[in-house]
Amino acid sequence: MARTAHKSCRALPEHESIACTKKAQGESPYCASHGREYAKRTGEYKALSAETERLNPGTLTAEEILRLDSVGANKASKIYGRYCAALSKEMELRTAHHVRFFGGLDVGHAQWLEHLSKEHKKASAVLDRLKSRRRHALSRTRMVPESAPAGTYGVQLQFWDPPAESGFDIDLVVAIPCILVLALMAWMLPRGAWSFLWDCTKSAGRSIMPPGP
């Protein structure tokens, strides 16, 4: 009676280029240890596939992104970042799984990986726009604080206002520069010019003075 040749395990051991030489178990194409590993890894990538689908945030249009402030753009960036990471991980696990246990990718799995790759590309493009929007919104926030009056366009003129409790006399801030300017003019102008200016000042004063009773 002829002996039936046993089937060898078809799994490709990790970091090896030659398939396992152990006997396959029953109807399974794998030996006992690789059969258990196959079941475990299949469950892992299917669970990750369900998680990826759960994390799918859909799409954001360019108009919707432009309406986001820095906080909203940052929150959306985290959501899309998690989705992109999950897509990358699923593609990695699926590829490794099928190469190891099937010797390569069949048509169905190749098509699914292509679908995941397209999803990753679209989500990554949205993520890049969200990051750019966040940077732009933050730069505008720094230019125009929330307390800035409308219409300042990020340019604020700030004047020094000494605190009342300091006891600093604000009149000195005006008087001292005026005294210095007058002293400089007195030194530079000839004596005749001063007489002319004084006459002009008196004439101007008389012209604006109200008439007496």
Side-chain angles (χ1 to χ4, degrees):
M1 182 176 177
R3 297 178 62 184
T4 302
H6 70 270
K7 297 184 298 181
S8 295
C9 175
R10 61 183 291 183
L12 185 66
E14 195 170 10
H15 307 305
E16 297 289 341
S17 57
I18 301 176
C20 176
T21 57
K22 293 180 181 180
K23 181 180 178 180
Q25 297 292 303
E27 298 298 320
S28 170
Y30 310 110
C31 65
S33 62
H34 282 122
R36 290 190 295 271
E37 183 183 359
Y38 170 80
K40 178 184 176 183
R41 296 204 174 196
T42 299
E44 287 176 349
Y45 86 70
K46 286 188 175 181
L48 181 58
S49 182
E51 178 69 5
T52 301
E53 187 64 27
R54 185 187 70 82
L55 290 173
N56 187 349
T59 58
L60 277 176
T61 64
E63 291 77 12
E64 290 172 329
I65 293 174
L66 284 175
R67 288 197 294 267
L68 293 173
D69 58 11
S70 61
V71 175
N74 185 52
K75 183 178 179 180
S77 294
K78 291 179 179 179
I79 293 173
Y80 274 86
R82 287 193 291 268
Y83 181 51
C84 288
L87 285 169
S88 296
K89 188 65 177 176
E90 183 181 350
M91 288 189 289
E92 178 185 342
L93 283 183
R94 280 182 176 271
T95 301
H97 180 82
H98 287 281
V99 168
R100 184 165 188 184
F101 293 101
F102 296 96
L105 297 173
D106 59 28
V107 175
H109 284 99
Q111 290 176 342
W112 184 251
L113 283 174
E114 184 179 0
H115 162 73
L116 293 177
S117 179
K118 289 179 179 178
E119 281 294 307
H120 187 274
K121 184 177 181 180
K122 288 191 297 184
S124 295
V126 173
L127 179 58
D128 288 341
R129 289 196 292 269
L130 284 168
K131 290 179 177 178
S132 176
R133 174 59 187 165
R134 179 175 179 270
R135 288 192 298 268
H136 179 71
L138 281 174
S139 67
R140 289 186 61 84
T141 301
R142 294 190 187 102
M143 290 175 63
V144 184
E146 293 182 359
S147 59
T152 55
Y153 298 98
V155 179
Q156 288 186 307
L157 297 178
Q158 297 182 350
F159 298 93
W160 180 66
D161 186 13
E165 62 272 14
S166 66
F168 192 90
D169 189 353
I170 192 62
D171 290 338
L172 293 177
V173 177
V174 178
I176 292 174
C178 291
I179 293 172
L180 293 174
V181 170
L182 289 172
L184 181 61
M185 292 176 65
W187 178 72
M188 294 180 63
L189 291 176
R191 185 171 302 174
W194 274 107
S195 299
F196 174 76
L197 289 174
W198 178 246
D199 292 339
C200 291
T201 303
K202 289 191 294 183
S203 299
R206 285 193 297 270
S207 64
I208 63 175
M209 285 291 290

